[in-house]
Amino acid sequence: MKSYRMYVRGEWIEAKSKAKREIFDPGNGELLATVPESGREDVIEAVKAAREAFDNGPWRNTTALDRGKFLFKISELIKRESKKLAELEVKNCGKPLAEAEFDAADAANCFEFYGGLATKIHGETMSVPANSMSFVIREPLGVCGQIIPWNYPLLMSAWKLAPALAAGCTVILKPSELTPLTALELAALIHEAGLPPGVVNIISGPGAGAGEELASNKLCDKVAFTGGTATGRKILEGASTNLKKVTLELGGKNPNIVFADCDLEAAIDGALFAAFANQGEVCSAGSRLLVEKSIHKAMVDGMLSKINRIKLGHGLTPGVKMGPLVSKAHLEKVQNYIQIGIQEGAKLLWGGQRPEGSEFTKGNFLMPTIFDNVTPKMRIAKEEIFGPVLSVIPFSTEEEAIQIANDTDYGLAAGVWSKNIFQAMRVIRQIRAGITWINTYHPTFNEMPWGGYKQSGWGRELGFHGIEGYLETKQININLDEAPINWY
């Protein structure tokens, strides 16, 4: 068992209260580590460190080229430690090793992408009117608080840190209190990369107290949050204290629409992957499967014939495709939604219970679950469950599919399956969601923007859009006429 410390001002520290939190493996209940349980005082110190580093440290005078080199170095260090990071991610989060390995590789790629982008921050010039010149420059926004969720801690750390550092900001990163381990391991790699003290500060602690202080602290110029919509509203309340900039990547109840002319085998595989990858603990999960009635039976039968191929178990066990849910409390929340679906009259086709076997008794395991004949007004079709629960909703026409797809408070992601590209594009254009796929589901690219419509958030991450959220725009005007203006 390892005892971790937080990373503030380039040093490893304990919480001022000396409080500790125990971190357990959700797959077998094993005690993995202890981490500091920070509170408001700890966050205040971390913010002060970031503020000092931004206002008076060497970071603001570091060239874009050198900032990029720091990010390239972090990328290389992640690659070097990728096996260790992936295995730790499995033990802390529960996800299968293959997914954690992909996350580690993608985290390295994210730092590499923004390392290259650091030197591509350009401005504008204008020579109107005569005898003057106006130009626009982009400057780092300042001190940024960043709060990430428990489902992708290493990858979300990269999504937050890389663009902020490329822009020239300083940061305080707070991972979820449930899954802080890979973020704290990343702090060690950042330290090894040689960033100046205070540029990156990584603290562990709960949303209540630590997260609240980070959102409301007046020395922070921005807060970026990924997580649930209800918490996002609280972040906004805290940010209003000094009207800090805010980026929110929130929840989703995402439609995955299957038309009768689709490649049925591809759609079956895609629907299962959309719903059950990472145990369904994904904001963009395709948890609402809208199926054209003429192929409804074939689609459902096809999923049922393949769902037993989803091997459950500890993520480090070879061949496992679905691990445990992150915590006992979250398991109970998802089980409660399954009972709600049964009470609402949906037809439970598969799962809905914990798997049998001694290997599952100590972990937070739940079988992949499929409900059929779900109506759009049922709670399991309206509310984000964030677990391996798929709701199948039949539809008759393209217009009905679009109406059902958009009948949600969310607008994060959506998928369409059809061989008719004209229909697929026509439907995608009418769905109010920020990330969409045609004849696939879940691919994400560091080069492309990520974010949602409606209550799925504000702003975008990744790509050029991701760095925009960490830059201010300054207009500079130069008078080229030496004569007085003679106004008076």
Side-chain angles (χ1 to χ4, degrees):
M1 185 195 73
K2 185 173 180 178
S3 180
Y4 284 86
R5 290 181 291 173
M6 300 184 292
Y7 186 67
V8 175
R9 213 177 260 105
E11 299 175 345
W12 299 99
I13 65 168
E14 300 286 358
K16 290 183 180 298
S17 67
K18 305 300 181 184
K20 293 275 193 177
R21 176 184 287 265
E22 294 181 328
I23 304 299
F24 295 92
D25 185 328
N28 56 25
E30 176 189 346
L31 178 62
L32 295 174
T34 61
V35 299
E37 184 84 328
S38 68
R40 289 185 181 273
E41 289 185 351
D42 302 290
V43 175
I44 290 170
E45 284 304 308
V47 172
K48 287 180 179 178
R51 185 82 262 169
E52 177 68 19
F54 184 79
D55 292 339
N56 303 312
W59 189 242
R60 67 183 306 150
N61 296 318
T62 301
T63 66
L65 181 63
D66 285 337
R67 290 201 303 272
K69 289 178 180 177
F70 276 122
L71 294 181
F72 291 145
K73 178 64 173 177
I74 296 169
S75 174
E76 290 303 314
L77 292 172
I78 292 173
K79 292 175 185 177
R80 187 193 75 190
E81 301 297 328
S82 60
K83 184 177 186 295
K84 172 184 175 181
L85 290 169
E87 291 179 356
L88 185 60
E89 196 87 326
V90 170
K91 292 178 180 179
N92 198 180
C93 300
K95 64 180 63 186
L97 180 60
E99 294 188 30
E101 289 173 336
F102 178 86
D103 291 353
D106 207 32
N109 292 341
C110 185
F111 277 102
E112 189 172 71
F113 171 74
Y114 281 107
L117 197 58
T119 57
K120 315 302 186 297
I121 301 170
H122 298 154
E124 308 164 40
T125 61
M126 185 178 72
S127 296
V128 178
N131 299 321
S132 73
M133 176 176 286
S134 295
F135 59 98
V136 170
I137 63 173
R138 310 304 304 279
E139 296 183 331
L141 200 156
V143 175
C144 302
Q146 303 178 320
I147 304 172
I148 60 172
W150 45 257
N151 56 339
Y152 289 91
L154 179 61
L155 191 55
M156 292 295 101
S157 294
W159 282 26
K160 292 288 189 291
L161 290 171
L165 295 175
C169 296
T170 60
V171 298
I172 310 96
L173 177 75
K174 191 197 85 65
S176 166
E177 63 270 28
L178 297 177
T179 57
L181 301 187
T182 50
L184 293 172
E185 291 285 349
L186 181 60
L189 302 184
I190 290 169
H191 184 79
E192 183 178 345
L195 271 73
V199 172
V200 174
N201 306 274
I202 299 182
I203 58 174
S204 52
E212 291 169 346
E213 179 62 39
L214 199 53
S216 62
N217 192 288
K218 294 183 179 180
L219 295 181
C220 273
D221 301 299
K222 177 190 172 99
V223 61
F225 170 77
T226 298
T229 298
T231 306
R233 294 190 184 96
K234 295 179 181 178
I235 296 290
L236 283 178
E237 292 175 8
S240 67
T241 56
N242 64 335
L243 296 180
K244 59 170 60 71
K245 303 292 192 298
V246 177
T247 299
L248 301 173
E249 199 271 276
L250 306 177
K253 192 67 180 178
N254 311 292
N256 194 16
I257 306 172
V258 179
F259 286 99
D261 72 336
C262 71
D263 180 324
L264 188 60
E265 285 302 309
I268 289 167
D269 284 344
L272 293 173
F273 184 66
F276 302 128
N278 204 60
Q279 300 79 245
E281 296 171 325
V282 187
C283 57
S284 57
S287 57
R288 288 190 295 152
L289 182 63
L290 282 55
V291 182
E292 193 165 356
K293 286 183 178 178
S294 62
I295 62 163
H296 172 256
K297 185 177 187 304
M299 184 73 188
V300 169
D301 288 346
M303 289 193 296
L304 292 178
S305 71
K306 288 192 172 184
I307 197 168
N308 60 0
R309 300 182 189 177
I310 302 176
K311 181 179 178 180
L312 272 68
H314 193 283
L316 294 180
T317 302
V320 162
K321 296 294 185 181
M322 199 172 102
L325 300 188
V326 71
S327 69
K328 183 179 179 181
H330 187 60
L331 170 64
E332 291 172 352
K333 173 191 170 184
V334 176
Q335 288 177 307
N336 184 56
Y337 267 110
I338 291 171
Q339 292 306 308
I340 289 171
I342 293 170
Q343 293 163 9
E344 288 179 317
K347 185 178 180 181
L348 180 62
L349 294 181
W350 186 270
Q353 59 191 6
R354 288 171 57 77
E356 297 179 354
S358 59
E359 69 270 32
F360 302 116
T361 56
K362 294 182 179 180
N364 307 315
F365 292 96
L366 182 68
M367 293 178 65
T369 298
I370 298 179
F371 279 105
D372 196 12
N373 295 330
V374 177
T375 65
K377 299 302 181 184
M378 290 181 179
R379 286 182 64 187
I380 60 170
K382 301 287 284 185
E383 300 175 15
E384 186 177 38
I385 299 173
F386 218 71
V389 179
L390 177 62
S391 296
V392 181
I393 305 172
F395 69 87
S396 298
T397 66
E398 179 180 311
E399 293 73 21
E400 183 186 9
I402 294 167
Q403 189 277 324
I404 294 171
N406 286 331
D407 185 20
T408 173
D409 293 334
Y410 300 106
L412 185 58
V416 170
W417 298 80
S418 172
K419 292 180 181 178
N420 184 340
I421 192 62
F422 302 104
Q423 175 175 252
M425 281 300 299
R426 186 168 61 242
V427 172
I428 278 292
R429 290 290 301 274
Q430 294 181 74
I431 293 176
R432 302 197 65 213
I435 307 125
T436 62
W437 298 278
I438 294 175
N439 296 329
T440 187
Y441 206 98
H442 276 320
T444 304
F445 307 99
N446 290 307
E447 299 81 2
M448 301 296 283
W450 181 275
Y453 291 20
K454 299 189 281 186
Q455 292 188 37
S456 287
W458 287 3
R460 294 294 185 270
E461 296 190 304
L462 297 183
F464 286 90
H465 298 262
I467 205 168
E468 287 285 332
Y470 293 96
L471 293 167
E472 287 280 25
T473 300
K474 178 178 284 185
Q475 178 188 158
I476 300 174
N477 300 288
I478 304 174
N479 177 23
L480 301 178
D481 190 345
E482 295 185 59
I485 63 173
N486 291 320
W487 185 263
Y488 298 107

